[in-house]
Amino acid sequence: MKIKINQLKFKEGVGITERISSRSSSLPILKNIIIRAQKNIINISSTDLETGIQWWAIAKTEKEGEVVVPANILSGFINFLPDKNIELTTIKNDLIIECGSYKTQIKGFNSDDFPIIPEVAEKNSILINAKDLCKGLSQISDIPSFSTTRPEISGIFFNFKKDRLKLVATDSYRLGEKSLLLNKVIENDFSFILPQKAVKEIIGIFGEKDGDINIVLGASQVLFELTMKEIIHPQIKFTSRIIEGEYPNYEEIIPAKNSIQAILNRNDLLNQIKAASLFSGKVNEVVLRIDPDKKEVEVLSQSPDSGEYSSTLTGKITGKKESVSFNHRFLTDGLGNIKSSEIVFETNSGSEPGVFKPVGESDFLYIVMPIRAN
Amino acid sequence: MTKDELWGAVLAQIQLNISQANFNTWFKDTEIISVNSSEVMVSVPNSFAKEWLENKYNKIIIKTINEVNGCKVKDVKYIVSNKETQATKKYTNTPVNSNQLEFMELNTDKETNLNPKYTFDNFVVGPFNELPHAAAQAVSQNPGTLYNPLFIYGGVGLGKTHLMQAVGNEIIKNFPNKKIRYVSVEKFTSEVVSSIRNRTMEEFKLKYRDVDVLIIDDVQFLSGKEKTQEEFFHTFNSLYEKNKQIIISSDRPPRSIQSLAERLRSRFEGGMITDVSQPDIETRLAILKTKAQEKNADFSDDVYNYIATNIQKNIRELEGALNKLIAHQKLGNQVVDLNKAESILKSAFRSSTKNTTPKKIIKAVAQFYDIKEKDMLDVSRKKEIVRPRQITMYLLRKELSCSFPFIGRKLGGKDHTTVIHSCDKIEKEIKNNETLKEEIELIKQFILSL
C-alpha cells in the first residue's frame, strides 16, 4: 500500500482505535491495529472481541493495501512526528512511515489473522446529539459495578421511549437516572443494556464531537456511528456487544412520595460531606441530621481513630426530624454529577432510600440506600 | 455419536491445525446445537466468533465434521448464543460495610418478595442443618398443616434465609394459587410505622392477613418494638386460626429474644423450633463444590480443603473466598492451585482471626441483650445488666485471655475478685444450662460478624 495523510489526522485515528487494543489478551494479534488504504480513504480499526472501533478519513491513496502493526508502538511514535504530511507504505508485513526527516520501519503481522469486526444488522436506530449523549452518560457511568451473579446491572440501561432516552445505572446500593429529550417521537420503543466499559469508551471517543450519533441496535450488538462532515461516509463506528437479559424494573426503586424534603446549596453540602468524610473512618459513614424546626441539616461523622466532625447548613426544609446515615462516597459521587447550584434531598426515613435531584431541572435523579443506623 | 461427542472430536482435530491462541479464542464456549443430514448448527459466544468461524474456518469445520462423522454435511450455520460470557475484564468491587442497605427490588419478585435464586436444589444439606431442611421440605409439601409456625434459628451466614426462601419458592411451584409473602421484620416494622402515619392501617392488615404463607425473617429485631409486636401478634393469630403457614427465622431461639412479649414468645414456641448449627468439614467441602459448579469453576481438592479448614463458621464467607479465587482464575486466565490460593486468601484469613477485640465483645453482648453499651460499662447493678456484664467478663477472659484486673477496669471499675467470681459462675452454669450455652455460642458468632 501507499498512502499520504496529514499527521494530525493520522494521530487522531490511531489515538481513537488504540484505546481498545487490549494488553492482556489470549490472542496477541489484538494488541495491534489494522490500517487499510482504500480508494481516497484511509481506515484504521481495532477490537478486543467485545467492542470494535473503526475510523475513516480522506487520504491520498496511491496504492491500496493493508497492514497490521502494534498499536502502542505506532501511537507512541506518532507523537514525535512534526505536523507535516505522512507517507505510509508497506514492505511485506512491515509499515514504513516517512514524515519530514523521519523514516521508520515498524514490524507488522499478517493482516489475514486480524479479526473481522461484525456488521450490525439493524433492528432499530435513532439519531442523537453526540455531546448531549456523552454528557448524560458521564453522569452515571461510574455507578455500575461488575457482578457475575447479576450481569444485567453491570451495564448501563438505554431505554428509548416515545420522545425520551432514559439512561439508568445501579450497583444495587444506589441508582442514577438521566433523561434526554429526543429530536422526534419514535414509533417503536426499544432498549438495551450496554457494558460499562463500552460506555466509557463512547464518552472518550464521541465526547468532544459535534453532530449526531446514529445508534443502531442489532440482535446481539449495538453500533454507535458518526458520519464525516466532508463526504457521506462513516467517520467513526463503535460496535459493542450488549448484555443479554432484562434490566430490572428499576422504577420500583424510585419512592413515589417522600415525606421529608430539604433544599440545599449543592457546593456547601458537597464540601461539608467531603470534610466529614475525613472523620468517617473505615465504614465511610456520614450522618445527615435533618431538623425542620431549625431549618438546617447537620452533617456529622466520627471515628475512634481520627476524631469527630460536625457542621450545619441551612435550607428550606419540610417534614419531620430525621437522621440518615450514608456512605460518603455514594453521596459525593452523586452530588458531583448534579450540575445545578441547589439540590433537593428527599427521604421518608433513615432506612429508606434518599433521593437527590437538581433544583429547576427534572432530567436527573440519584437515589442512595442508607447505612443501617446502629 | 452424540452431538457433544461429535463436536469434541471435531475440536480435537482442529486443535492440531491451528495455533493454541487462535483455538482458545475462537472455539471457546462453542457447541453443536443440532445436526441433521445436510446441516449443522453451532452456537458461538459472540458475533466476533461467528464472523471469524464463518469466514476463516468454515471449510475446515465442514471437512472435519464429515471426516469424523462419515457423512456429507454441506453447510454449517453459526448462531450467537444468549449465554452471558465472562468476558468483562475489569473487576470492581465497591467496598461496602455490612450495614449498607441494598435495593431489595432488584432481584426479588414483587408480589412475594422472594428471590428465585434460593431453592432447595442449590441448598447443601449436612448434619448441621438436616432437621431444619427436612422440616422446611415437609412444610413446602403441606403448608399450614404440619409444623406451624416453623421457627428456624442459627448464627449469621448459615443459610436461614436461603432455607426460608426455598420453602416459599417450592410452595409456589407446588401450589401456584397460594399467596406467599416474604418480609424481613425491618420491612414489616417500617410498613407498620408508615401505615400508622398515613392512616392506612386497614390496608396493611388486609395485605398481611390475606396471605396463605407468611415468611418473616430476622424476627429478633422485634425486640423492644412494642407497636410492631402488637401488630405482628394480631397478624399471626389471624393467620394461625385460618391454618395458614407461618415461617419465622431468628438468630437466636425465642426464649433468648430480649423484650419480646410473652404472648408472642409462647406462640413461637407452640410450633416447631429447629436450629441451624455450624457445618462440619465435609459439608463445607460439599458447599464449596456445589457453589463452584454453579459458577462453572473448578479447583483441585486441596484448594477446597484449604478454604474449608480456614473458614469454619460462616457459609457466606466460604462463598466469598471462593468468588475471589474464581475472579482470579477468570481474570488471569490461569489455573489457581493451592499455592496461588494461599497467597490470594492469606490476607483475608489473617484479618478474620484477629477480628475479636474487647470492644467487639462488649458491643456484641450489648446488642444481643438489647442493652446500651454505656450501661454495661457503668456501675449499674440492675439485674438485666448484671448478667450480660458477667457474660462479657467471661468472654473477655475466654476469647482474649484478658487479665482479671483489666476486665474489671474495663467494666465499670470492678474489683478483680468480682471478675473471677463472674467468670467462674458462668463457666459452671454453662455445664448445666443448655440455653446459656447456646446463647454464648451465638454471641461468639455474632462477634465474628461485627
Side-chain angles (χ1 to χ4, degrees):
Chain A
M1 79 176 197
K2 189 170 183 185
I3 194 163
K4 274 190 187 141
I5 183 173
N6 171 271
Q7 185 254 359
L8 276 179
K9 260 265 136 88
F10 188 56
K11 196 166 118 182
E12 182 201 299
V14 174
I16 282 177
T17 46
E18 180 222 20
R19 307 177 64 91
I20 55 164
S21 58
S22 45
R23 274 169 192 90
S24 62
S25 167
S26 56
L27 198 64
I29 193 97
L30 299 179
K31 290 178 190 156
N32 299 281
I33 56 178
I34 185 164
I35 303 171
R36 293 188 181 94
Q38 292 155 342
K39 201 181 167 196
N40 298 329
I41 271 181
I42 182 169
N43 164 233
I44 309 180
S45 306
S46 65
T47 174
D48 60 1
L49 299 187
E50 225 182 76
T51 50
I53 302 179
Q54 293 158 280
W55 174 90
W56 289 267
I58 303 173
K60 191 170 171 242
T61 308
E62 284 169 23
K63 194 178 167 216
E64 294 185 14
E66 56 189 28
V67 65
V68 171
V69 283
N72 59 348
I73 295 182
L74 182 61
S75 86
F77 175 69
I78 289 169
N79 291 323
F80 295 113
L81 294 179
D83 181 12
K84 286 182 178 162
N85 285 343
I86 299 180
E87 189 175 78
L88 307 169
T89 44
T90 48
I91 299 177
K92 284 186 184 158
N93 285 338
D94 294 354
L95 173 68
I96 320 290
I97 302 176
E98 281 174 84
C99 179
S101 55
Y102 290 77
K103 185 171 180 185
T104 318
Q105 179 162 357
I106 299 178
K107 282 241 163 288
F109 300 89
N110 187 350
S111 60
D112 283 350
D113 292 340
F114 201 82
I116 304 159
I117 296 170
E119 286 292 319
V120 176
E122 175 174 336
K123 286 202 302 188
N124 277 296
S125 73
I126 184 117
L127 276 174
I128 191 159
N129 180 277
K131 277 187 183 148
D132 291 350
L133 176 70
C134 293
K135 233 189 259 167
L137 284 173
S138 65
Q139 280 177 273
I140 56 167
S141 62
D142 286 326
I143 295 176
S145 73
F146 175 63
S147 155
T148 41
T149 47
R150 278 177 288 170
E152 301 86 40
I153 63 165
S154 54
I156 282 153
F157 184 51
F158 284 65
N159 190 14
F160 296 89
K161 206 170 182 180
K162 288 178 191 155
D163 61 343
R164 233 163 265 269
L165 163 62
K166 282 190 177 170
L167 302 164
V168 186
T170 180
D171 62 359
S172 84
Y173 305 108
R174 60 222 172 102
L175 179 139
E177 185 202 60
K178 170 79 185 176
S179 300
L180 294 172
L181 208 58
L182 301 172
N183 298 331
K184 58 165 192 171
V185 179
I186 51 169
E187 279 168 22
N188 298 317
D189 298 349
F190 67 99
S191 64
F192 57 88
I193 309 168
L194 195 65
Q196 185 187 28
K197 207 176 127 203
V199 168
K200 294 201 162 173
E201 293 300 344
I202 286 169
I203 297 169
I205 296 170
F206 299 104
E208 297 302 319
K209 300 280 182 202
D210 295 317
D212 287 348
I213 298 179
N214 192 19
I215 301 178
V216 181
L217 178 65
S220 60
Q221 295 199 101
V222 61
L223 166 72
F224 292 77
E225 179 179 355
L226 190 74
T227 311
M228 264 189 230
K229 283 194 210 99
E230 302 91 342
I231 53 169
I232 302 173
H233 191 283
Q235 183 193 349
I236 303 170
K237 275 186 175 185
F238 178 84
T239 318
S240 170
R241 74 172 178 115
I242 50 183
I243 296 175
E244 297 291 340
E246 210 161 290
Y247 205 75
N249 185 6
Y250 75 93
E251 275 156 343
E252 288 174 15
I253 290 168
I254 305 171
K257 88 182 159 192
N258 288 300
S259 54
I260 303 163
Q261 191 189 60
I263 297 174
L264 304 164
N265 180 289
R266 187 189 72 106
N267 268 341
D268 292 349
L269 178 61
L270 193 54
N271 280 338
Q272 294 193 9
I273 289 168
K274 282 181 180 165
S277 73
L278 298 172
F279 301 91
S280 71
K282 267 186 225 142
V283 291
N284 286 341
E285 181 175 340
V286 166
V287 182
L288 302 184
R289 191 174 287 161
I290 305 139
D291 189 336
D293 302 332
K294 290 193 197 155
K295 302 261 170 255
E296 63 183 26
V297 172
E298 196 179 357
V299 181
L300 303 155
S301 66
Q302 58 169 336
S303 98
D305 304 326
S306 47
E308 291 182 11
Y309 171 92
S310 116
S311 60
T312 52
L313 66 165
T314 50
K316 213 178 133 198
I317 296 160
T318 51
K320 64 175 167 87
K321 260 191 191 176
E322 183 67 273
S323 280
V324 195
S325 301
F326 290 107
N327 182 332
H328 68 79
R329 290 223 175 101
F330 293 168
L331 293 188
T332 48
D333 276 4
L335 290 170
N337 281 316
I338 296 180
K339 309 296 178 200
S340 62
S341 62
E342 282 190 310
I343 61 109
V344 193
F345 164 50
E346 293 176 342
T347 187
N348 279 315
S349 79
S351 57
E352 288 168 80
V355 181
F356 296 85
K357 291 185 279 197
V359 168
E361 292 154 50
S362 57
D363 61 349
F364 186 70
L365 195 64
Y366 185 75
I367 303 170
V368 197
M369 280 305 272
I371 291 171
R372 183 183 293 135
N374 285 320
Chain B
M1 202 184 291
T2 69
K3 50 189 205 279
D4 288 345
E5 284 167 0
L6 171 60
W7 193 236
V10 170
L11 291 186
Q13 184 67 34
I14 287 176
Q15 191 181 188
L16 301 174
N17 298 329
I18 65 175
S19 80
Q20 193 60 37
N22 269 311
F23 182 78
N24 286 344
T25 308
W26 302 119
F27 289 93
K28 199 173 83 188
D29 297 324
T30 56
E31 59 183 332
I32 291 188
I33 302 176
S34 68
V35 187
N36 63 36
S37 55
S38 65
E39 193 184 276
V40 172
M41 194 96 94
V42 174
S43 92
V44 294
N46 56 53
S47 318
F48 283 90
K50 175 174 186 273
E51 206 71 35
W52 200 248
L53 295 184
E54 266 171 9
N55 284 289
K56 300 278 175 175
Y57 292 130
N58 197 34
K59 267 194 199 136
I60 170 170
I61 290 171
I62 294 177
K63 197 178 134 229
T64 317
I65 288 174
N66 287 335
E67 271 172 25
V68 172
N69 213 14
C71 59
K72 284 251 179 301
V73 169
K74 287 195 193 71
D75 202 9
V76 178
K77 285 231 160 67
Y78 305 90
I79 57 164
V80 181
S81 81
N82 288 345
K83 247 184 271 162
E84 186 64 29
T85 52
Q86 303 297 341
T88 316
K89 273 148 207 107
K90 201 175 150 216
Y91 187 76
T92 48
N93 200 1
T94 326
V96 279
N97 84 44
S98 57
N99 280 335
Q100 174 66 52
L101 301 173
E102 270 192 87
F103 296 129
M104 295 299 287
E105 294 85 348
L106 284 181
N107 44 14
T108 49
D109 182 307
K110 202 184 169 195
E111 267 306 300
T112 62
N113 265 331
L114 289 170
N115 187 332
K117 84 173 182 204
Y118 296 114
T119 61
F120 280 123
D121 291 341
N122 54 19
F123 187 80
V124 179
V125 187
F128 76 109
N129 63 11
E130 239 169 2
L131 189 60
H133 175 258
Q137 275 204 315
V139 164
S140 66
Q141 300 303 324
N142 294 300
T145 51
L146 268 175
Y147 307 122
N148 206 12
L150 174 63
F151 192 104
I152 303 169
Y153 72 91
V156 279
L158 294 176
K160 296 187 300 288
T161 299
H162 187 152
L163 196 55
M164 298 216 301
Q165 295 231 7
V167 177
N169 283 317
E170 185 73 17
I171 295 177
I172 294 179
K173 226 168 39 184
N174 295 339
F175 308 91
N177 294 329
K178 286 212 186 290
K179 267 196 187 162
I180 300 165
R181 177 158 291 121
Y182 168 90
V183 69
S184 68
V185 158
E186 266 185 306
K187 182 101 190 290
F188 189 83
T189 308
S190 75
E191 283 184 41
V192 171
V193 173
S194 72
S195 39
I196 293 172
R197 201 172 43 205
N198 301 333
R199 299 199 179 82
T200 50
M201 213 56 209
E202 282 313 306
E203 277 169 49
F204 172 84
K205 283 180 178 159
L206 218 67
K207 179 174 162 191
Y208 279 99
R209 291 175 198 181
D210 187 33
V211 299
D212 297 302
V213 180
L214 181 64
I215 306 174
I216 296 264
D217 209 347
D218 281 335
V219 88
Q220 73 273 8
F221 289 125
L222 274 180
S223 169
K225 293 174 183 140
E226 276 159 37
K227 181 68 193 161
T228 310
Q229 283 192 25
E230 194 186 322
E231 265 325 304
F232 184 66
F233 177 76
H234 293 307
T235 304
F236 186 103
N237 273 349
S238 149
L239 291 173
Y240 186 79
E241 277 160 19
K242 286 186 274 178
N243 282 331
K244 305 293 188 192
Q245 179 70 46
I246 300 156
I247 306 168
I248 301 160
S249 90
S250 163
D251 67 354
R252 64 198 82 167
R255 57 182 179 278
S256 304
I257 303 175
Q258 304 301 308
S259 43
L260 182 70
E262 194 46 51
R263 53 182 185 179
L264 258 182
R265 189 187 320 256
S266 71
R267 288 293 187 293
F268 289 169
E269 285 172 347
M272 161 100 165
I273 300 182
T274 169
D275 72 313
V276 188
S277 54
Q278 281 163 19
D280 53 24
I281 180 98
E282 289 84 0
T283 316
R284 294 201 296 276
L285 283 172
I287 290 169
L288 281 172
K289 286 181 183 168
T290 316
K291 299 266 178 207
Q293 205 181 9
E294 266 173 37
K295 291 174 178 153
N296 284 326
D298 196 23
F299 298 95
S300 63
D301 278 348
D302 46 356
V303 172
Y304 292 127
N305 260 318
Y306 174 70
I307 306 177
T309 31
N310 279 286
I311 299 175
Q312 308 188 330
K313 296 188 170 161
N314 189 322
I315 295 173
R316 214 172 291 150
E317 277 175 24
L318 280 179
E319 203 176 343
L322 186 71
N323 282 340
K324 232 179 186 167
L325 296 189
I326 293 174
H328 270 266
Q329 187 143 311
K330 294 239 155 86
L331 297 182
N333 248 334
Q334 50 187 339
V335 176
V336 171
D337 57 12
L338 182 59
N339 276 334
K340 262 243 154 63
E342 279 176 356
S343 71
I344 294 166
L345 296 175
K346 207 187 263 159
S347 59
F349 291 158
R350 206 183 298 133
S351 67
S352 77
T353 50
K354 63 170 185 192
N355 227 344
T356 312
T357 60
K359 223 177 139 183
K360 281 197 175 167
I361 291 181
I362 293 166
K363 191 173 174 189
V365 175
Q367 280 193 8
F368 191 87
Y369 291 106
D370 195 29
I371 50 179
K372 291 201 183 86
E373 270 178 60
K374 197 174 77 195
D375 290 343
M376 215 156 60
L377 307 182
D378 244 357
V379 282
S380 159
R381 287 180 188 221
K382 273 190 239 153
K383 193 175 147 235
E384 62 266 33
I385 305 287
V386 170
R387 176 74 163 195
R389 192 189 286 141
Q390 285 175 340
I391 291 174
T392 311
M393 291 177 175
Y394 168 80
L395 285 170
L396 284 171
R397 181 70 188 167
K398 276 280 162 190
E399 295 293 298
L400 294 175
S401 314
C402 296
S403 75
F404 292 121
F406 170 83
I407 298 173
R409 276 200 306 279
K410 212 75 199 150
L411 294 163
K414 302 277 181 220
D415 193 74
H416 74 277
T417 52
T418 317
V419 180
I420 295 174
H421 168 75
S422 303
C423 291
D424 284 350
K425 188 166 175 249
I426 301 289
E427 179 107 52
K428 265 191 212 125
E429 229 179 289
I430 283 177
K431 294 203 174 94
N432 305 318
N433 185 340
E434 204 45 45
T435 320
L436 181 66
K437 197 174 155 190
E438 246 171 31
E439 279 182 25
I440 286 180
E441 263 319 303
L442 285 166
I443 294 172
K444 281 192 202 161
Q445 284 176 35
F446 196 37
I447 295 169
L448 292 177
S449 72
L450 281 179

